[in-house]
Amino acid sequence: MRKIGVTAALLLMVPCGAEIFLRAVSPQAALFRHADKKAHCPDEFGYMVYCPGVRVEMIGEHFGFHLTTNSKGERITGSPEGAGPGEIWILGDSIITGYGIDDEASAPFLVAQHSGMRVRNLAVDGLGPAGTLQRFRRSLQEGRPLRAYYLFDFSEFTDVAREASFTTSAFRRFSQRADSFFSRTSMLYCALRARPASGLAAPGGPAQI
């Protein structure tokens, strides 16, 4: 029994030591993945959306930006929260939400600033048409906007195929939740899973594991 205990202790020391070391040296690619995953949470349907009330700094090799969400898990636009008359909703993926640029430089934020209207940024990087539809339907329970715009780009053709496999595979949904949890809690896991964050194409989007 003593030998088993010593062996188990030694086996635990290796990953624990690696975790401590990585937290000390903070490799850039692992830090980027850790920050990205801290900003994203699975919703009740399993789609990866923004977590409510977060502010993270995303630092890659050649770019960096901050991402802030409100209590609804929507990227901020400078508008007061709460549905009301004259409100505009903007839906889409990474290009629309402004992934890769600061909050104040995103298109929905600029629309709110220059139009004087309340704007909700319902776009999420990596979210395809099926996830966007679920997000829109859920938001309609709070009220109806004056206008809602879904800005579709070519990258979403890839999202269509990915979401189709995601919705039909319980294992894929489970794997995505597990990946999200371990990426938030372990720098060692982030280092093993990370790819160089030298540009927007490198992280691959939060919905891809």
Side-chain angles (χ1 to χ4, degrees):
M1 289 296 295
R2 184 177 179 181
K3 288 184 178 179
I4 294 175
V6 172
T7 302
L10 290 173
L11 290 173
L12 286 172
M13 285 176 64
V14 174
C16 288
E19 182 73 30
I20 293 170
F21 172 76
L22 286 169
R23 287 185 179 272
V25 299
S26 301
Q28 187 179 64
L31 283 174
F32 188 93
R33 181 180 180 86
H34 182 63
D36 181 81
K37 295 299 181 178
K38 280 179 64 178
H40 296 85
C41 299
D43 66 8
E44 63 267 35
F45 304 103
Y47 297 106
M48 295 302 293
V49 297
Y50 290 133
C51 303
V54 299
R55 179 181 172 85
V56 294
E57 296 289 334
M58 314 280 286
I59 306 298
E61 285 184 29
H62 307 299
F63 74 106
F65 64 100
H66 61 261
L67 188 151
T68 311
T69 67
N70 61 23
S71 62
K72 297 178 182 293
E74 300 165 5
R75 195 166 189 190
I76 61 170
T77 64
S79 302
E81 291 186 44
E87 191 171 64
I88 296 174
W89 296 0
I90 301 179
L91 303 99
D93 63 1
S94 57
I95 295 176
I96 310 307
T97 197
Y99 191 84
I101 56 179
D102 291 334
D103 301 319
E104 299 81 5
S106 69
F109 198 104
L110 294 174
V111 170
Q113 183 181 34
H114 293 288
S115 69
M117 303 182 73
R118 283 190 298 274
V119 176
R120 289 178 66 178
N121 185 350
L122 296 175
V124 180
D125 53 291
L127 195 65
T132 297
L133 179 60
Q134 291 287 6
R135 191 166 174 81
F136 181 65
R137 286 173 171 169
R138 184 171 58 249
S139 298
L140 284 175
Q141 298 173 7
E142 306 168 13
R144 294 182 179 273
L146 176 66
R147 294 283 189 275
Y149 299 97
Y150 177 27
L151 306 179
F152 189 93
D153 64 81
F154 287 106
S155 67
E156 297 200 39
F157 286 110
T158 303
D159 297 331
V160 170
R162 178 171 47 77
E163 286 188 338
S165 65
F166 167 80
T167 54
T168 57
S169 172
F171 174 75
R172 186 173 176 82
R173 292 193 295 273
F174 171 79
S175 299
Q176 182 164 265
R177 289 180 180 273
D179 176 76
S180 175
F181 172 78
F182 286 116
S183 291
R184 285 198 218 105
T185 56
S186 172
M187 192 63 69
L188 174 60
Y189 181 83
C190 287
L192 293 173
R193 295 284 292 147
R195 286 173 285 179
S198 57
L200 289 183
Q208 302 181 28
I209 61 174

